Amino acid sequence: MHVNRERFTKGNLAFSLAFFVSFLYEIFKSPDFINSYIFTLIYFLGVLGYIVGTVTQLLTLHFTARPKDINVDDERDKFIVSKSYRNAHISTIVLVNVIIICFIFYNKTLQPAFFFNLLLGTLLISHIVLVSTRVFYYKRGIQ
Amino acid sequence: MKNVSITNNIRKLRFNSSEMTQQELANKLNVSRQTVIAIEGGKYSPTLELAFRIAEVFNVPLEEVFQFHASS
């Protein structure tokens, strides 16, 4: 039994993009939305759902597949994952630095909720970079 | 700067080994079929360990499976 990591990654990308679009919609719909804590709750429920989904997938594999047949990630998967994590890490660092610069120059004029939104957006963008570069490497190949 | 390319004969070797399928080769190597497809298509260069395991499956030397071409 082998997990089709490519298909799983495409599903993950679609979910992440949908989540990011809903995030942008809520932010631009109402700047005070974040103060109601509803979006924060949805955001963390989304993150929790992702973690629970991943753990469930691994537990299902653990209990249903025969031990010698378990081959969740082979060396190509691991290589692609490591390269995509590097890309996501770089994008996180760049975006967090942008937020810090914004905070230094605009901390008097902008509300803390704005920076919180930026931080949530950064984490979402990094996740999208992570998954989309993974899809890209699966499609184009990796040397 | 040198252009490096690595070609392989895995497809030919599979057919010479009583038309072994990609899935059968993947099972023997304990990798996914997608990885075998990527290696065959030159989209992924396997690690040295996997390269030796591929050669071992076909019972041929490594140079017969992979060829290294460097051109300036």
Side-chain angles (χ1 to χ4, degrees), chain B:
Chain B
M1 190 175 166
K2 283 188 174 180
N3 288 324
V4 174
S5 70
I6 297 170
T7 56
N8 66 76
N9 292 323
I10 295 176
R11 194 176 175 80
K12 200 174 86 182
L13 289 164
R14 274 198 304 110
F15 282 96
N16 289 343
S17 303
S18 57
E19 298 196 358
M20 185 191 289
T21 63
Q22 289 173 331
Q23 187 62 61
E24 284 168 349
L25 179 60
N27 291 343
K28 285 184 180 181
L29 298 170
N30 202 27
V31 297
S32 65
R33 193 171 74 90
Q34 285 80 11
T35 298
V36 172
I37 293 167
I39 295 169
E40 262 191 32
K43 285 186 170 182
Y44 172 63
S45 299
T47 58
L48 201 54
E49 185 196 338
L50 183 57
F52 273 109
R53 269 165 42 208
I54 293 168
E56 195 182 25
V57 166
F58 295 119
N59 204 19
V60 291
L62 189 62
E63 308 86 66
E64 213 170 299
V65 184
F66 294 99
Q67 292 80 40
F68 177 75
H69 310 278
S71 57
S72 52

Coordinates of all heavy atoms in Angstrom, one line a residue, chain B:
Chain B
M1 N 30.6 26.7 -17.8 CA 29.9 25.8 -16.9 C 29.5 24.6 -17.7 O 29.0 24.6 -18.8 CB 28.7 26.5 -16.3 CG 28.0 25.7 -15.2 SD 26.7 26.7 -14.5 CE 25.9 25.5 -13.5
K2 N 29.7 23.4 -17.0 CA 29.3 22.2 -17.7 C 27.9 21.8 -17.6 O 27.3 22.0 -16.5 CB 30.2 21.1 -17.1 CG 31.6 21.1 -17.6 CD 32.4 19.9 -17.1 CE 33.8 19.8 -17.7 NZ 34.5 18.6 -17.3
N3 N 27.3 21.3 -18.7 CA 25.9 20.8 -18.6 C 26.0 19.3 -18.3 O 26.7 18.6 -19.0 CB 25.2 21.0 -20.0 CG 24.9 22.5 -20.2 OD1 24.5 23.2 -19.2 ND2 25.0 22.9 -21.4
V4 N 25.3 18.9 -17.3 CA 25.4 17.6 -16.8 C 24.1 16.9 -17.1 O 23.0 17.5 -16.8 CB 25.8 17.5 -15.3 CG1 25.7 16.0 -14.8 CG2 27.2 18.1 -15.1
S5 N 24.1 15.7 -17.7 CA 22.8 15.0 -17.8 C 23.1 13.5 -17.5 O 24.1 13.0 -17.8 CB 22.2 15.2 -19.2 OG 23.0 14.5 -20.1
I6 N 22.1 12.9 -16.9 CA 22.2 11.5 -16.6 C 21.0 10.8 -17.3 O 19.9 11.1 -17.1 CB 22.1 11.2 -15.1 CG1 23.3 11.9 -14.4 CG2 22.1 9.7 -14.8 CD1 23.2 11.9 -12.9
T7 N 21.4 9.8 -18.2 CA 20.4 9.1 -18.8 C 20.3 7.7 -18.2 O 21.2 7.3 -17.5 CB 20.6 9.0 -20.3 OG1 21.9 8.4 -20.5 CG2 20.6 10.3 -21.0
N8 N 19.3 6.9 -18.6 CA 19.2 5.6 -18.0 C 18.5 4.6 -19.0 O 17.8 5.1 -19.9 CB 18.4 5.6 -16.7 CG 17.0 6.0 -16.8 OD1 16.2 5.2 -17.3 ND2 16.6 7.2 -16.5
N9 N 18.7 3.4 -18.7 CA 18.2 2.3 -19.6 C 17.1 1.5 -18.9 O 16.9 0.3 -19.2 CB 19.3 1.4 -20.1 CG 20.2 2.1 -21.0 OD1 19.8 2.9 -21.8 ND2 21.5 1.7 -20.9
I10 N 16.5 2.1 -17.9 CA 15.6 1.3 -17.0 C 14.5 0.6 -17.8 O 14.1 -0.5 -17.7 CB 15.1 2.1 -15.8 CG1 16.2 2.5 -14.9 CG2 14.0 1.4 -15.0 CD1 15.9 3.5 -13.8
R11 N 13.9 1.4 -18.7 CA 12.8 1.0 -19.5 C 13.2 -0.3 -20.3 O 12.5 -1.3 -20.4 CB 12.3 2.1 -20.5 CG 11.0 1.8 -21.1 CD 10.6 3.0 -21.9 NE 9.3 2.8 -22.6 CZ 8.1 2.8 -22.1 NH1 8.0 3.1 -20.8 NH2 7.1 2.5 -22.8
K12 N 14.4 -0.2 -21.0 CA 14.9 -1.3 -21.8 C 15.1 -2.5 -20.9 O 14.8 -3.6 -21.3 CB 16.2 -0.9 -22.5 CG 16.5 -1.7 -23.7 CD 17.7 -1.1 -24.4 CE 19.0 -1.6 -23.8 NZ 20.2 -1.1 -24.5
L13 N 15.8 -2.3 -19.8 CA 16.1 -3.4 -18.8 C 14.8 -4.0 -18.3 O 14.8 -5.3 -18.1 CB 16.9 -2.8 -17.7 CG 18.4 -2.4 -18.1 CD1 19.0 -1.6 -17.0 CD2 19.2 -3.7 -18.3
R14 N 13.8 -3.2 -18.1 CA 12.5 -3.8 -17.6 C 11.9 -4.8 -18.6 O 11.5 -5.9 -18.3 CB 11.5 -2.7 -17.3 CG 11.6 -2.1 -16.0 CD 10.4 -1.3 -15.6 NE 10.0 -0.2 -16.5 CZ 8.9 -0.3 -17.2 NH1 8.1 -1.3 -17.2 NH2 8.6 0.7 -18.1
F15 N 12.0 -4.3 -19.9 CA 11.4 -5.2 -20.9 C 12.2 -6.4 -21.2 O 11.7 -7.5 -21.5 CB 11.2 -4.4 -22.2 CG 9.9 -3.5 -22.1 CD1 10.0 -2.2 -21.8 CD2 8.7 -4.1 -22.4 CE1 8.9 -1.4 -21.7 CE2 7.5 -3.3 -22.3 CZ 7.6 -2.0 -21.9
N16 N 13.5 -6.3 -20.9 CA 14.4 -7.5 -21.1 C 14.2 -8.4 -19.9 O 14.6 -9.6 -20.0 CB 15.9 -7.0 -21.2 CG 16.2 -6.4 -22.5 OD1 15.4 -6.5 -23.5 ND2 17.3 -5.6 -22.6
S17 N 13.8 -7.9 -18.8 CA 13.5 -8.8 -17.6 C 12.1 -9.3 -17.6 O 11.3 -8.9 -16.7 CB 13.8 -8.0 -16.3 OG 15.1 -7.5 -16.3
S18 N 11.7 -10.0 -18.6 CA 10.4 -10.6 -18.8 C 9.3 -9.5 -18.6 O 8.3 -9.8 -17.9 CB 10.1 -11.8 -17.9 OG 10.3 -11.5 -16.6
E19 N 9.5 -8.4 -19.3 CA 8.5 -7.3 -19.3 C 8.0 -6.9 -17.9 O 6.8 -6.9 -17.7 CB 7.4 -7.6 -20.3 CG 7.8 -7.8 -21.7 CD 6.7 -7.8 -22.7 OE1 5.5 -7.6 -22.3 OE2 7.0 -7.9 -23.9
M20 N 8.9 -6.6 -17.1 CA 8.6 -6.2 -15.7 C 7.8 -4.9 -15.8 O 8.2 -4.0 -16.5 CB 9.9 -6.1 -14.9 CG 9.7 -5.8 -13.4 SD 11.2 -5.3 -12.7 CE 12.1 -6.8 -12.6
T21 N 6.8 -4.8 -15.0 CA 6.0 -3.5 -15.0 C 6.7 -2.5 -14.0 O 7.5 -2.9 -13.2 CB 4.6 -3.8 -14.5 OG1 4.6 -4.3 -13.1 CG2 3.8 -4.8 -15.4
Q22 N 6.3 -1.3 -14.2 CA 6.8 -0.3 -13.3 C 6.4 -0.5 -11.8 O 7.2 -0.3 -10.9 CB 6.3 1.1 -13.7 CG 6.9 1.6 -15.0 CD 6.2 2.9 -15.5 OE1 5.0 3.1 -15.2 NE2 7.0 3.7 -16.2
Q23 N 5.2 -1.1 -11.6 CA 4.7 -1.3 -10.3 C 5.6 -2.5 -9.6 O 5.9 -2.4 -8.5 CB 3.3 -1.7 -10.3 CG 2.6 -1.9 -8.9 CD 2.6 -0.6 -8.1 OE1 2.1 0.4 -8.5 NE2 3.3 -0.6 -7.0
E24 N 5.9 -3.5 -10.5 CA 6.7 -4.6 -10.0 C 8.1 -4.1 -9.6 O 8.6 -4.5 -8.5 CB 6.8 -5.7 -11.0 CG 5.6 -6.5 -11.2 CD 5.6 -7.4 -12.4 OE1 6.5 -7.2 -13.3 OE2 4.7 -8.3 -12.5
L25 N 8.7 -3.2 -10.4 CA 10.0 -2.7 -10.1 C 9.9 -1.8 -8.8 O 10.7 -1.9 -7.9 CB 10.5 -1.9 -11.2 CG 11.9 -1.2 -11.0 CD1 13.0 -2.2 -10.8 CD2 12.2 -0.3 -12.2
A26 N 8.8 -1.0 -8.7 CA 8.6 -0.2 -7.5 C 8.5 -1.0 -6.3 O 9.1 -0.7 -5.2 CB 7.4 0.7 -7.7
N27 N 7.8 -2.1 -6.3 CA 7.7 -3.0 -5.2 C 9.0 -3.6 -4.8 O 9.3 -3.7 -3.6 CB 6.7 -4.1 -5.5 CG 5.3 -3.6 -5.6 OD1 4.9 -2.5 -5.2 ND2 4.4 -4.4 -6.2
K28 N 9.8 -4.0 -5.8 CA 11.1 -4.6 -5.5 C 12.1 -3.5 -4.8 O 12.9 -3.9 -4.0 CB 11.8 -5.1 -6.7 CG 11.1 -6.4 -7.2 CD 11.8 -7.0 -8.3 CE 11.2 -8.3 -8.7 NZ 11.8 -9.0 -9.8
L29 N 11.9 -2.3 -5.2 CA 12.8 -1.2 -4.7 C 12.2 -0.5 -3.5 O 12.9 0.3 -2.8 CB 13.0 -0.1 -5.8 CG 13.6 -0.6 -7.1 CD1 13.5 0.5 -8.1 CD2 15.1 -0.9 -6.8
N30 N 10.9 -0.9 -3.1 CA 10.2 -0.3 -2.0 C 10.1 1.2 -2.2 O 10.4 2.0 -1.2 CB 10.9 -0.6 -0.7 CG 10.0 -0.5 0.5 OD1 8.8 -0.6 0.3 ND2 10.5 -0.2 1.7
V31 N 9.7 1.7 -3.4 CA 9.4 3.1 -3.6 C 8.1 3.1 -4.4 O 7.5 2.1 -4.7 CB 10.5 3.8 -4.5 CG1 11.8 3.8 -3.8 CG2 10.6 3.1 -5.9
S32 N 7.6 4.3 -4.6 CA 6.3 4.4 -5.3 C 6.5 4.3 -6.8 O 7.6 4.5 -7.3 CB 5.6 5.7 -5.0 OG 6.4 6.8 -5.5
R33 N 5.4 3.9 -7.5 CA 5.4 3.8 -9.0 C 5.7 5.2 -9.6 O 6.4 5.3 -10.6 CB 4.1 3.3 -9.5 CG 4.1 2.9 -11.0 CD 2.8 2.2 -11.4 NE 1.8 3.1 -11.5 CZ 1.4 3.8 -12.6 NH1 2.2 3.6 -13.7 NH2 0.4 4.6 -12.7
Q34 N 5.2 6.3 -8.9 CA 5.5 7.6 -9.4 C 7.0 7.9 -9.4 O 7.5 8.6 -10.3 CB 4.8 8.7 -8.5 CG 3.3 8.8 -8.7 CD 2.5 7.7 -8.0 OE1 3.1 7.0 -7.2 NE2 1.3 7.6 -8.3
T35 N 7.7 7.4 -8.4 CA 9.2 7.6 -8.4 C 9.9 6.8 -9.5 O 10.8 7.4 -10.1 CB 9.7 7.1 -7.0 OG1 9.1 7.9 -6.0 CG2 11.2 7.3 -6.9
V36 N 9.4 5.6 -9.8 CA 10.0 4.8 -10.9 C 9.7 5.6 -12.2 O 10.6 5.7 -13.0 CB 9.4 3.4 -10.9 CG1 9.8 2.7 -12.2 CG2 9.8 2.6 -9.7
I37 N 8.5 6.1 -12.4 CA 8.2 6.9 -13.6 C 9.1 8.1 -13.7 O 9.6 8.4 -14.8 CB 6.7 7.3 -13.6 CG1 5.8 6.1 -13.6 CG2 6.4 8.3 -14.7 CD1 4.3 6.4 -13.3
A38 N 9.3 8.8 -12.6 CA 10.2 10.0 -12.6 C 11.6 9.7 -12.9 O 12.3 10.4 -13.7 CB 10.1 10.7 -11.2
I39 N 12.1 8.5 -12.4 CA 13.5 8.1 -12.7 C 13.6 7.8 -14.2 O 14.5 8.2 -14.9 CB 13.9 7.0 -11.8 CG1 14.0 7.4 -10.3 CG2 15.3 6.4 -12.2 CD1 14.1 6.3 -9.3
E40 N 12.7 7.0 -14.7 CA 12.7 6.6 -16.1 C 12.7 7.8 -17.0 O 13.3 7.8 -18.0 CB 11.5 5.7 -16.4 CG 11.8 4.2 -16.3 CD 10.7 3.4 -16.9 OE1 10.0 3.8 -17.8 OE2 10.5 2.2 -16.4
G41 N 11.8 8.7 -16.6 CA 11.7 9.9 -17.5 C 12.8 11.0 -17.3 O 12.7 12.0 -17.9
G42 N 13.7 10.7 -16.4 CA 14.9 11.6 -16.2 C 14.5 12.8 -15.4 O 15.2 13.8 -15.4
K43 N 13.3 12.7 -14.7 CA 12.9 13.9 -13.9 C 13.4 13.8 -12.5 O 13.2 14.7 -11.7 CB 11.3 13.9 -13.9 CG 10.7 14.4 -15.2 CD 9.2 14.5 -15.0 CE 8.6 15.3 -16.2 NZ 7.2 15.5 -16.0
Y44 N 14.0 12.7 -12.1 CA 14.5 12.6 -10.8 C 15.8 11.7 -10.8 O 15.8 10.6 -11.4 CB 13.5 12.0 -9.8 CG 14.0 11.6 -8.5 CD1 14.5 12.6 -7.6 CD2 14.0 10.3 -8.0 CE1 15.0 12.3 -6.4 CE2 14.5 10.0 -6.8 CZ 15.0 11.0 -6.0 OH 15.5 10.7 -4.7
S45 N 16.8 12.3 -10.2 CA 18.1 11.5 -10.1 C 18.1 10.8 -8.8 O 18.1 11.4 -7.7 CB 19.3 12.4 -10.2 OG 19.3 13.1 -11.4
P46 N 18.0 9.4 -8.8 CA 18.0 8.7 -7.5 C 19.2 8.8 -6.7 O 20.3 9.2 -7.2 CB 17.7 7.3 -7.9 CG 18.3 7.2 -9.3 CD 18.1 8.5 -9.9
T47 N 19.1 8.5 -5.4 CA 20.3 8.5 -4.6 C 21.2 7.3 -5.0 O 20.8 6.4 -5.7 CB 20.0 8.3 -3.1 OG1 19.2 7.0 -3.0 CG2 19.1 9.4 -2.5
L48 N 22.4 7.4 -4.5 CA 23.4 6.3 -4.9 C 22.9 4.9 -4.5 O 23.0 4.0 -5.2 CB 24.8 6.7 -4.3 CG 26.0 6.0 -4.9 CD1 26.1 6.3 -6.3 CD2 27.2 6.5 -4.1
E49 N 22.3 4.9 -3.3 CA 21.8 3.7 -2.7 C 20.7 3.1 -3.6 O 20.7 1.9 -4.0 CB 21.2 3.9 -1.3 CG 20.8 2.6 -0.6 CD 19.9 2.9 0.6 OE1 20.0 4.0 1.1 OE2 19.2 2.0 1.0
L50 N 19.8 3.9 -4.0 CA 18.7 3.4 -4.9 C 19.2 3.0 -6.3 O 18.7 2.0 -6.8 CB 17.6 4.5 -5.0 CG 16.3 4.1 -5.8 CD1 15.7 2.9 -5.2 CD2 15.3 5.3 -5.8
A51 N 20.2 3.8 -6.8 CA 20.8 3.5 -8.1 C 21.4 2.1 -8.0 O 21.2 1.2 -8.9 CB 21.8 4.5 -8.4
F52 N 22.1 1.8 -6.9 CA 22.7 0.4 -6.8 C 21.7 -0.6 -6.6 O 21.8 -1.8 -7.1 CB 23.7 0.4 -5.6 CG 25.1 0.9 -5.9 CD1 25.6 2.1 -5.5 CD2 25.9 0.1 -6.7 CE1 26.8 2.5 -5.8 CE2 27.2 0.5 -7.1 CZ 27.6 1.7 -6.6
R53 N 20.6 -0.3 -5.9 CA 19.5 -1.3 -5.8 C 18.8 -1.6 -7.1 O 18.4 -2.8 -7.4 CB 18.5 -0.8 -4.7 CG 18.8 -1.3 -3.4 CD 18.2 -0.6 -2.2 NE 16.7 -0.3 -2.4 CZ 16.1 0.7 -1.8 NH1 16.7 1.6 -1.1 NH2 14.8 0.9 -2.0
I54 N 18.7 -0.6 -8.0 CA 18.1 -0.8 -9.3 C 19.0 -1.7 -10.1 O 18.5 -2.7 -10.7 CB 17.9 0.6 -10.0 CG1 16.8 1.4 -9.3 CG2 17.5 0.3 -11.5 CD1 16.8 2.8 -9.8
A55 N 20.3 -1.5 -10.0 CA 21.2 -2.3 -10.8 C 21.2 -3.7 -10.2 O 21.3 -4.7 -11.0 CB 22.6 -1.7 -10.6
E56 N 21.0 -3.9 -8.9 CA 21.0 -5.2 -8.3 C 19.7 -6.0 -8.8 O 19.8 -7.2 -9.0 CB 21.0 -5.0 -6.8 CG 21.2 -6.3 -6.0 CD 21.2 -6.0 -4.5 OE1 20.5 -5.1 -4.1 OE2 21.8 -6.8 -3.8
V57 N 18.6 -5.2 -8.9 CA 17.4 -5.9 -9.3 C 17.5 -6.5 -10.7 O 17.1 -7.6 -11.0 CB 16.2 -4.9 -9.3 CG1 15.0 -5.4 -10.1 CG2 15.8 -4.5 -7.9
F58 N 18.2 -5.8 -11.6 CA 18.4 -6.2 -13.0 C 19.7 -7.1 -13.1 O 19.9 -7.6 -14.2 CB 18.5 -5.0 -14.0 CG 17.2 -4.3 -14.0 CD1 17.1 -2.9 -13.7 CD2 16.0 -4.9 -14.5 CE1 15.9 -2.2 -13.7 CE2 14.8 -4.2 -14.5 CZ 14.8 -2.9 -14.2
N59 N 20.4 -7.2 -12.0 CA 21.6 -8.0 -12.0 C 22.7 -7.5 -13.1 O 23.2 -8.3 -13.9 CB 21.3 -9.5 -12.2 CG 22.3 -10.4 -11.7 OD1 23.2 -9.9 -10.8 ND2 22.4 -11.6 -12.1
V60 N 22.8 -6.2 -13.2 CA 23.8 -5.6 -14.2 C 24.6 -4.6 -13.4 O 24.2 -4.1 -12.4 CB 23.1 -5.0 -15.4 CG1 22.4 -6.0 -16.3 CG2 22.1 -3.9 -14.9
P61 N 25.8 -4.2 -14.0 CA 26.6 -3.2 -13.3 C 25.9 -1.8 -13.4 O 25.0 -1.6 -14.3 CB 27.9 -3.1 -14.1 CG 27.7 -4.1 -15.2 CD 26.5 -4.8 -15.1
L62 N 26.2 -0.9 -12.5 CA 25.6 0.4 -12.4 C 25.7 1.2 -13.8 O 24.7 1.8 -14.2 CB 26.2 1.2 -11.3 CG 25.5 2.5 -10.9 CD1 24.1 2.3 -10.4 CD2 26.3 3.2 -9.9
E63 N 26.8 1.0 -14.4 CA 27.0 1.8 -15.7 C 26.1 1.4 -16.8 O 25.9 2.1 -17.7 CB 28.5 1.6 -16.2 CG 29.6 1.9 -15.2 CD 29.9 0.7 -14.4 OE1 30.4 -0.3 -14.9 OE2 29.7 0.8 -13.1
E64 N 25.6 0.2 -16.6 CA 24.6 -0.3 -17.7 C 23.2 0.3 -17.4 O 22.4 0.3 -18.4 CB 24.6 -1.8 -17.6 CG 24.4 -2.4 -19.0 CD 24.6 -3.9 -19.0 OE1 25.7 -4.4 -18.7 OE2 23.6 -4.6 -19.3
V65 N 23.0 0.7 -16.2 CA 21.7 1.3 -15.9 C 21.7 2.8 -16.2 O 20.8 3.4 -16.8 CB 21.3 1.0 -14.5 CG1 19.9 1.5 -14.2 CG2 21.3 -0.5 -14.1
F66 N 22.7 3.5 -15.6 CA 22.8 4.9 -15.7 C 24.1 5.3 -16.5 O 25.1 4.7 -16.3 CB 22.9 5.6 -14.3 CG 21.6 5.4 -13.5 CD1 21.5 4.4 -12.6 CD2 20.5 6.2 -13.7 CE1 20.4 4.2 -11.9 CE2 19.4 6.0 -13.0 CZ 19.3 5.0 -12.1
Q67 N 23.9 6.3 -17.3 CA 25.1 6.9 -18.1 C 25.2 8.4 -17.8 O 24.2 9.1 -17.7 CB 24.9 6.7 -19.6 CG 24.9 5.3 -20.1 CD 23.6 4.6 -19.9 OE1 22.6 5.1 -20.1 NE2 23.7 3.3 -19.4
F68 N 26.4 8.8 -17.5 CA 26.7 10.2 -17.1 C 27.3 10.9 -18.4 O 28.2 10.4 -19.0 CB 27.7 10.2 -16.0 CG 28.1 11.6 -15.6 CD1 27.3 12.4 -14.8 CD2 29.4 12.0 -15.9 CE1 27.7 13.6 -14.4 CE2 29.8 13.3 -15.5 CZ 28.9 14.1 -14.8
H69 N 26.6 12.0 -18.7 CA 27.1 12.8 -19.8 C 27.4 14.2 -19.4 O 26.5 14.9 -18.8 CB 26.1 12.9 -21.0 CG 25.5 11.6 -21.4 ND1 26.1 10.7 -22.2 CD2 24.4 10.9 -21.0 CE1 25.4 9.6 -22.4 NE2 24.4 9.7 -21.6
A70 N 28.6 14.7 -19.6 CA 29.0 16.1 -19.2 C 29.5 16.8 -20.5 O 30.4 16.3 -21.1 CB 30.0 16.1 -18.1
S71 N 28.9 17.9 -20.8 CA 29.4 18.7 -22.0 C 29.5 20.1 -21.6 O 28.7 20.7 -20.8 CB 28.4 18.6 -23.1 OG 27.1 19.0 -22.7
S72 N 30.6 20.8 -22.1 CA 30.8 22.2 -21.7 C 30.0 23.1 -22.6 O 29.6 22.8 -23.6 CB 32.3 22.5 -21.8 OG 32.8 22.1 -23.0

